[in-house]
Amino acid sequence: MSENMKVAEKELVVQENHVEKEEGETMETKKKKLGGMKTMPFILANEVCDRFVGAGFHSNLITYLTQVLNVPLIKASNTLANFSGVSNFTPLIGALVADSFAGRFWTIIVASIFYEMGLISITISAIMPQLRPPPCPTQENCKEASNSQLWALYICLLLTSIGTGGLRPCLVTFAADQLDMRKSKVESRKWNFYNMFYFCVTMATLTALTVVVYIQDNVNWGSGLGLLTIAMALSVVAFVVGSPFYRKVEPGGSPLIRLTQVLVASVRKRKVVVPDDDRLLYENRELDSAISHDGRLLHTNQFK
């Protein structure tokens, strides 16, 4: 009886191992099917809409401040300078958040939502008379926007700056994550994709600087900003629709921690003699696996 039980247990273990192996192979097959060129239309649509919105929003904002909110030119220039500084700083934070714990996919989603909230807010402020001073066609003795109206604008600009911080450092790198550079055919496709990528981005910027600016100046600001708001909403929808096809790379941890570790190790081992054979140098492929997806850099004496 005991022997039959042992045989049954062995058969059960073999079956469990077989099932685990099949599940592992299935997961590996699914991972291989993710990513690739089929994901590029969704990412490209998001990036094109983002550049379209960014160009149409930033290029003519000085006109909105001076002619709609009746802000003095010097004050308007300082506001835009501060806004530009924040927008150029937030991508550093966005990149750290994406690489440390959030991942690029969720960073892009959350940043797009913040950007959309900012655009919706500034569109509403351009439409509602309570959120802007009375029109002043002559631009003489105009009533300047109140502090509450300016703070509503500042909140809108802050929301768009947060959105920029998540989108700018993640979109292109997220597109690169979808391409497996270990395949020779993908490398040529990658160059073709980036040629198309920058062509579409440039055309989106050109369209925004002509069509959107014309609408803002000659039709009304509500329509011009509303068009940008709709474009940003479409970009979010396009990006989310492609979610089932994306290869979502897990965050590799904070790069600042790795940089600090390298600096500390360099100082502590500054007097250690470097071996002639590169194979004797320390490497830990398990620890580096999270940040070395497309191969490893070869050792070189060039920077000694």
Side-chain angles (χ1 to χ4, degrees), residues 234-247:
L234 292 176
S235 76
V236 178
V237 172
F239 188 76
V240 172
V241 167
S243 176
F245 308 108
Y246 296 145
R247 181 185 293 118

Side-chain angles (χ1 to χ4, degrees), residues 13-30:
V13 170
V14 171
Q15 290 178 358
E16 290 177 352
N17 292 336
H18 182 68
V19 171
E20 290 177 357
K21 184 178 179 180
E22 288 182 345
E23 290 178 351
E25 291 176 352
T26 303
M27 291 296 294
E28 188 67 25
T29 304
K30 288 182 179 179

Side-chain angles (χ1 to χ4, degrees), residues 120-182:
I120 291 174
S121 301
I122 198 168
T123 302
I124 293 174
S125 68
I127 295 174
M128 295 183 63
Q130 298 88 342
L131 296 177
R132 51 187 169 84
C136 185
T138 62
Q139 294 298 307
E140 294 181 0
N141 300 321
C142 300
K143 181 181 179 181
E144 186 179 345
S146 64
N147 289 332
S148 59
Q149 291 170 341
L150 288 177
W151 271 106
L153 172 70
Y154 296 154
I155 293 174
C156 299
L157 297 180
L158 179 60
L159 290 172
T160 59
S161 296
I162 295 173
T164 300
L167 292 173
R168 192 177 295 175
C170 293
L171 272 172
V172 178
T173 50
F174 186 76
D177 289 341
Q178 309 308 313
L179 303 176
D180 189 354
M181 293 306 298
R182 291 170 294 185

Side-chain angles (χ1 to χ4, degrees), residues 215-231:
I215 293 174
Q216 291 170 347
D217 289 341
N218 296 281
V219 182
N220 59 68
W221 277 90
S223 300
L225 294 173
L227 180 61
L228 300 178
T229 303
I230 294 172

Side-chain angles (χ1 to χ4, degrees), residues 27-262:
M27 291 296 294
E28 188 67 25
T29 304
K30 288 182 179 179
K31 288 182 179 179
K32 289 182 179 179
K33 290 182 179 180
L34 295 176
M37 296 302 295
K38 63 179 177 291
T39 63
M40 295 303 136
F42 305 105
I43 300 174
L44 186 60
N46 185 273
E47 178 67 12
V48 166
C49 291
D50 172 59
R51 296 300 178 93
F52 176 79
V53 171
F57 180 65
H58 296 96
S59 61
N60 210 25
L61 198 55
I62 186 71
T63 305
Y64 180 78
L65 288 173
T66 55
Q67 295 185 9
V68 177
L69 297 183
N70 302 327
V71 178
L73 182 60
I74 296 177
K75 185 176 181 180
S77 300
N78 290 334
T79 299
L80 291 185
N82 295 333
F83 168 57
S84 178
V86 174
S87 297
N88 288 319
F89 177 75
T90 50
L92 296 176
I93 300 176
L96 286 174
V97 170
D99 291 340
S100 300
F101 59 89
R104 296 187 183 101
F105 175 78
W106 286 110
T107 302
I108 293 172
I109 292 292
V110 174
S112 299
I113 293 173
F114 272 101
Y115 209 137
E116 180 68 12
M117 290 170 57
L119 289 173
I120 291 174
S121 301
I122 198 168
T123 302
I124 293 174
S125 68
I127 295 174
M128 295 183 63
Q130 298 88 342
L131 296 177
R132 51 187 169 84
C136 185
T138 62
Q139 294 298 307
E140 294 181 0
N141 300 321
C142 300
K143 181 181 179 181
E144 186 179 345
S146 64
N147 289 332
S148 59
Q149 291 170 341
L150 288 177
W151 271 106
L153 172 70
Y154 296 154
I155 293 174
C156 299
L157 297 180
L158 179 60
L159 290 172
T160 59
S161 296
I162 295 173
T164 300
L167 292 173
R168 192 177 295 175
C170 293
L171 272 172
V172 178
T173 50
F174 186 76
D177 289 341
Q178 309 308 313
L179 303 176
D180 189 354
M181 293 306 298
R182 291 170 294 185
K183 299 178 181 179
S184 58
K185 292 183 179 180
V186 173
E187 188 171 359
S188 61
R189 290 181 182 177
K190 183 177 181 181
W191 287 111
N192 293 334
F193 165 72
Y194 282 115
N195 289 335
M196 179 62 68
F197 179 89
Y198 285 107
F199 173 77
C200 293
V201 163
T202 304
M203 291 303 297
T205 303
L206 178 62
T207 304
L209 293 177
T210 53
V211 176
V212 176
V213 172
Y214 177 84
I215 293 174
Q216 291 170 347
D217 289 341
N218 296 281
V219 182
N220 59 68
W221 277 90
S223 300
L225 294 173
L227 180 61
L228 300 178
T229 303
I230 294 172
M232 193 65 206
L234 292 176
S235 76
V236 178
V237 172
F239 188 76
V240 172
V241 167
S243 176
F245 308 108
Y246 296 145
R247 181 185 293 118
K248 300 168 187 175
V249 178
E250 295 294 329
S254 174
L256 295 179
I257 295 177
R258 295 196 297 270
L259 178 61
T260 304
Q261 291 172 336
V262 171

